[in-house]
Amino acid sequence: MNAAEIREFRDACSAAGIAVTHQRQVVWQALRSMHGHPSPEEIYERVRPRIPAISLATVYKNIHLFIESGMFREVSLHHGSMRVETNPEPHHHLVCRVCKSIRDIDAETLGVAGKPRRLPDGFLAERYAIDILGLCAKCQKSM
Amino acid sequence: MNAAEIREFRDACSAAGIAVTHQRQVVWQALRSMHGHPSPEEIYERVRPRIPAISLATVYKNIHLFIESGMFREVSLHHGSMRVETNPEPHHHLVCRVCKSIRDIDAETLGVAGKPRRLPDGFLAERYAIDILGLCAKCQKSM
DNA sequence: CTATTAAACGATAATAATTATCGTTTGTCA
DNA sequence: TGACAAACGATAATTATTATCGTTTAATAG
């Protein structure tokens, strides 16, 4: 890791109000060097060669801190447990990042239908699922 | 449940090639009567007053069958485990419904940016997360 | 209408992912 | 440099889900 990256990491930690530790830095760097959408286990395996004694729990704790402080994002805000869609109408979701509530918004109201011009790698699109991430009215008030 | 609903359920079962059982019918009806995005536990609690001896495993099995056969949908196709986004560029996802792979597609290429005109209930939108659901090239070939 | 058979069921064990606990170690800041 | 909160590692606990297996039931051929 070069000096600029170290500085960036330290700045991000102080902005987030968290300590600069060796483990945290190595997890952060691992994420920086990875592509795609790694799971905590995969990140753990990536970090272990550098810190063989690190605990998986530490990896989880740091990932959560990174996400809370906006240094990284989660792929899905609602991956905790299976949910079944009961609304048969075409619609999308308003997802509150604080209380995790999900409200339906019908596709018409949203007005962002437009089909993509073309999809790379021969991907065959069947439908869109749009999550609008933000704050619900209640969580805006309590801030 | 009225006659038309029963007929619809039986037709859906025969189209899916699954048996019409009492438990299955009650789970289906429960889903029909619920709003929002219930979890398997919530569906189970809804069904229990009608079939006190039903097993949670039966509820899970039937939900899966309903989803496989297209009678209902899941809210999120990738809720299995946490994934961290490593791509810092604005982008969306091509999600294959068969192999569950996730490919990034940058927002520009997709070309469906358009902000919504207005959001109901005072929801404050911060960003969009768009999943394009369909079949990747590999899974198209193997069908 | 009944016998056959595969599918479905209920109970529950097993697994996977994640979180909590707790004693020890380490940054941070006065 | 010392005090103290934060972070760490080990691991127990929890939660969500899936697998197993013996029993029951629906589908259907006769």
Side-chain angles (χ1 to χ4, degrees):
Chain A
M1 184 146 76
N2 62 41
E5 241 187 336
I6 292 174
R7 204 172 321 114
E8 184 184 347
F9 172 70
R10 301 183 89 92
D11 287 352
C13 284
S14 78
I18 61 180
V20 173
T21 69
H22 180 53
Q23 288 88 339
R24 185 160 295 157
Q25 182 166 314
V26 173
V27 172
W28 184 88
Q29 186 189 359
L31 276 167
R32 267 304 181 89
S33 73
M34 295 176 86
H35 292 140
H37 315 91
S39 67
E41 278 282 341
E42 287 163 345
I43 298 160
Y44 176 56
E45 289 309 323
R46 183 87 166 207
V47 167
R48 250 141 70 97
R50 303 231 190 150
I51 312 179
I54 198 171
S55 167
L56 177 58
T58 297
V59 173
Y60 267 99
K61 283 179 251 186
N62 280 307
I63 292 171
H64 282 306
L65 286 172
F66 293 160
I67 290 168
E68 280 165 34
S69 63
M71 294 157 89
F72 287 93
R73 284 182 176 154
E74 275 192 83
V75 172
S76 171
L77 280 195
H78 36 240
H79 71 272
S81 77
M82 164 182 264
R83 295 304 168 99
V84 181
E85 190 63 78
T86 59
N87 180 351
E89 300 303 319
H91 68 280
H92 302 297
H93 293 130
L94 302 177
V95 183
C96 177
R97 70 170 157 82
V98 173
C99 68
K100 313 282 181 186
S101 66
I102 304 175
R103 261 186 81 75
D104 291 352
I105 177 172
D106 66 84
E108 187 110 3
T109 304
L110 183 53
V112 289
K115 289 273 179 214
R117 297 182 286 270
R118 181 177 59 84
L119 294 179
D121 298 316
F123 191 94
L124 174 65
E126 293 176 338
R127 70 181 174 97
Y128 287 73
I130 304 181
D131 285 356
I132 301 163
L133 310 178
L135 294 170
C136 70
K138 188 176 291 181
C139 288
Q140 284 172 62
K141 277 175 200 147
S142 64
M143 283 188 105
Chain B
M1 185 145 77
N2 62 42
E5 242 187 336
I6 291 173
R7 203 173 322 114
E8 184 184 348
F9 171 70
R10 302 183 89 92
D11 288 352
C13 284
S14 79
I18 61 179
V20 173
T21 69
H22 180 52
Q23 290 88 339
R24 185 160 294 158
Q25 183 165 314
V26 173
V27 172
W28 184 88
Q29 186 188 2
L31 276 167
R32 266 304 181 89
S33 73
M34 295 176 86
H35 292 140
H37 315 91
S39 66
E41 278 282 342
E42 286 164 347
I43 297 161
Y44 177 56
E45 289 309 323
R46 183 86 166 206
V47 167
R48 250 140 69 97
R50 302 228 191 156
I51 312 178
I54 199 171
S55 166
L56 176 58
T58 297
V59 174
Y60 267 99
K61 284 180 253 186
N62 280 309
I63 292 170
H64 283 306
L65 285 171
F66 293 160
I67 289 168
E68 280 165 33
S69 64
M71 295 158 88
F72 288 93
R73 283 181 178 158
E74 276 192 84
V75 172
S76 172
L77 279 196
H78 36 241
H79 71 273
S81 76
M82 165 183 263
R83 294 305 167 100
V84 181
E85 190 63 79
T86 60
N87 181 351
E89 300 303 320
H91 69 278
H92 302 297
H93 292 130
L94 302 177
V95 183
C96 177
R97 69 169 159 84
V98 173
C99 68
K100 313 283 180 186
S101 66
I102 305 175
R103 263 188 79 76
D104 291 352
I105 177 173
D106 67 85
E108 188 110 3
T109 303
L110 183 53
V112 287
K115 288 270 179 219
R117 297 180 285 272
R118 182 176 57 84
L119 295 179
D121 298 316
F123 190 93
L124 173 65
E126 292 176 337
R127 69 180 176 99
Y128 287 73
I130 303 182
D131 284 356
I132 301 162
L133 309 178
L135 293 170
C136 70
K138 187 175 292 181
C139 287
Q140 284 172 62
K141 279 175 200 148
S142 64
M143 283 188 104

